[in-house]
Amino acid sequence: MVARIAQTTGVEHTAILGLGVYRPARIVTNDEVAGAIDSSDEWIRTRSGIRTRRFADDTETVRSMSVAAARGALESAGVAVDQVDTVIVATSTHLLLTPAAAPQIATELGMNGAAAFDISAGCAGFCHALALASDLVRSGTAGHVLVIGVEKLTDTINMKDRSTAFLFADGAGAVIVGPADDQGIGPTVWGSDGTQSHAIRQDKDWLEFFAEIEEKGLDAVRPYLTMEGTAVFRWAAHSLEKVCRDAIDRAGLATDDLDAMIPHQANGRIIEIMARVLKLPENCALANDIEETGNTSAASIPLAMEQLLRTGQSKPGDTALLIAFGAGLSYAAQVVRLPNWV
């Protein structure tokens, strides 16, 4: 066993040093998912803004997608494997309760002895993990942190469920967080609203499922992810403006200082409403990766960040507001400086 000694000297500022992503090879159109839910391409596009999404195959796992994204993040950051002493994986779709995915991912990357753990905050998981990573580096507990947002949501949804089948998809994004000369990750504004925990949930717990197996045998129905889309839409549309404004204020900026806004890719209509109520300047890029990628939960923020950089809508060094929300209901927002990417 190789032990790593935690850093002893903190730093004043942190930044995202590099970004890497993994998008599954299979592109799935609306027509492919519409039949099973008695829907259509037009209905799905109008309701969600989605035209295509990516579905992982059996060889594209939470672990393999994470490793691929992490290697891209390391390359773009110019950070060596042995410089990373902590790995945080944000996911809700690692289907083992134990062990966590992060230690296996760290070992596959050659980060032997690194602290490694998973967090579960639904679609807000990446922004939660980014906050933890920044604080660990600033406090001196860690030198460089690998943050991964990854989901294989196709393992958890019922493809006949009209509320989820057209919406969710798979993918991974990773960043390296480390020390910086000036503020590259602003203070995080986060919280939760447990009164809305019913809005996005697993429809039964595992003990209920085991009891159903004993009663019904092969007729038992496994747990699936379910969502009350209207409840989520109303909550997000009316609750997140203050969170966004607080994150901008705590970073010492104004809305006009933003070069980009990267919201969780939950729904195209929610994205449009958030941009409108914040009165973003005309030159502020607005991430809309959901159109081609779908809702990838904890992976959606880094995937949308990469899409802005890849298409030239944003560039490394730009100032961006990140805002994510999801199961819990949980939420988190911070202003960041966009990183290098591959």
Side-chain angles (χ1 to χ4, degrees), residues 18-106:
L19 166 69
V21 303
Y22 182 86
R23 299 176 188 271
R26 183 185 170 198
I27 299 173
V28 178
T29 66
N30 287 338
D31 288 334
E32 288 185 68
V33 299
I37 57 173
D38 189 25
S39 184
S40 67
D41 171 68
E42 181 182 4
W43 184 89
I44 293 172
R45 283 189 288 110
T46 302
R47 191 171 183 83
S48 67
I50 299 172
R51 295 180 181 273
T52 62
R53 75 280 290 143
R54 302 289 185 109
F55 282 2
D57 64 23
D58 290 341
T59 67
E60 295 169 310
T61 64
V62 164
R63 179 172 167 177
S64 70
M65 291 190 293
S66 295
V67 168
R71 286 177 172 149
L74 287 164
E75 181 182 347
S76 63
V79 170
V81 167
D82 60 8
Q83 291 178 270
V84 177
D85 47 25
T86 307
V87 178
I88 306 175
V89 175
T91 186
S92 300
T93 52
H94 175 56
L95 297 185
L96 287 175
L97 293 178
T98 190
Q104 299 170 69
I105 292 165

Side-chain angles (χ1 to χ4, degrees), residues 50-318:
I50 299 172
R51 295 180 181 273
T52 62
R53 75 280 290 143
R54 302 289 185 109
F55 282 2
D57 64 23
D58 290 341
T59 67
E60 295 169 310
T61 64
V62 164
R63 179 172 167 177
S64 70
M65 291 190 293
S66 295
V67 168
R71 286 177 172 149
L74 287 164
E75 181 182 347
S76 63
V79 170
V81 167
D82 60 8
Q83 291 178 270
V84 177
D85 47 25
T86 307
V87 178
I88 306 175
V89 175
T91 186
S92 300
T93 52
H94 175 56
L95 297 185
L96 287 175
L97 293 178
T98 190
Q104 299 170 69
I105 292 165
T107 295
E108 187 165 342
L109 289 165
M111 299 171 183
N112 299 311
F117 56 94
D118 296 356
I119 67 167
S120 177
C123 302
F126 177 83
C127 288
H128 278 64
L130 187 62
L132 293 176
S134 179
D135 287 351
L136 287 171
V137 175
R138 290 181 63 215
S139 69
T141 301
H144 290 84
V145 181
L146 168 62
V147 173
I148 301 169
V150 59
E151 303 288 7
K152 191 174 181 183
L153 285 151
T154 48
D155 282 344
T156 68
I157 59 175
N158 180 350
M159 295 308 296
K160 296 181 180 180
D161 179 0
R162 192 175 174 85
S163 71
T164 59
F166 70 94
L167 189 60
F168 292 107
D170 307 326
V175 298
I176 303 294
V177 174
D181 293 333
D182 51 21
Q183 181 172 277
I185 301 174
T188 298
V189 176
W190 58 0
S192 64
D193 182 0
T195 67
Q196 299 294 318
S197 61
H198 57 87
I200 307 172
R201 68 190 189 279
Q202 184 174 299
D203 60 7
K204 67 183 74 171
D205 67 36
W206 290 103
L207 288 179
E208 291 177 291
F209 177 52
F210 298 149
E212 191 174 315
I213 290 176
E214 291 183 1
E215 178 183 350
K216 299 181 179 179
L218 294 178
D219 291 328
V221 179
R222 52 158 287 187
Y224 285 110
L225 176 67
T226 189
M227 183 176 70
E228 298 174 19
T230 300
V232 176
F233 185 92
R234 288 174 177 169
W235 180 86
H238 295 95
S239 301
L240 294 177
E241 179 184 0
K242 185 179 185 302
V243 177
C244 292
R245 294 196 183 280
D246 285 351
I248 296 168
D249 289 344
R250 293 193 65 190
L253 300 172
T255 305
D256 287 346
D257 296 316
L258 295 177
D259 299 308
M261 178 177 173
I262 306 176
H264 163 51
Q265 303 293 290
N267 181 292
R269 292 188 295 165
I270 293 176
I271 293 170
E272 291 172 0
I273 291 172
M274 292 174 67
R276 185 167 63 249
V277 299
L278 288 173
K279 298 179 181 178
L280 297 177
E282 289 186 7
N283 63 343
C284 181
L286 179 63
N288 190 35
D289 190 45
I290 191 170
E291 185 174 350
E292 297 181 352
T293 305
N295 180 340
T296 56
S297 188
S300 82
I301 292 283
L303 286 169
M305 187 183 297
E306 185 268 349
Q307 187 258 354
L308 281 184
L309 292 166
R310 171 170 43 84
T311 59
Q313 297 175 70
S314 296
K315 62 184 184 302
D318 280 355

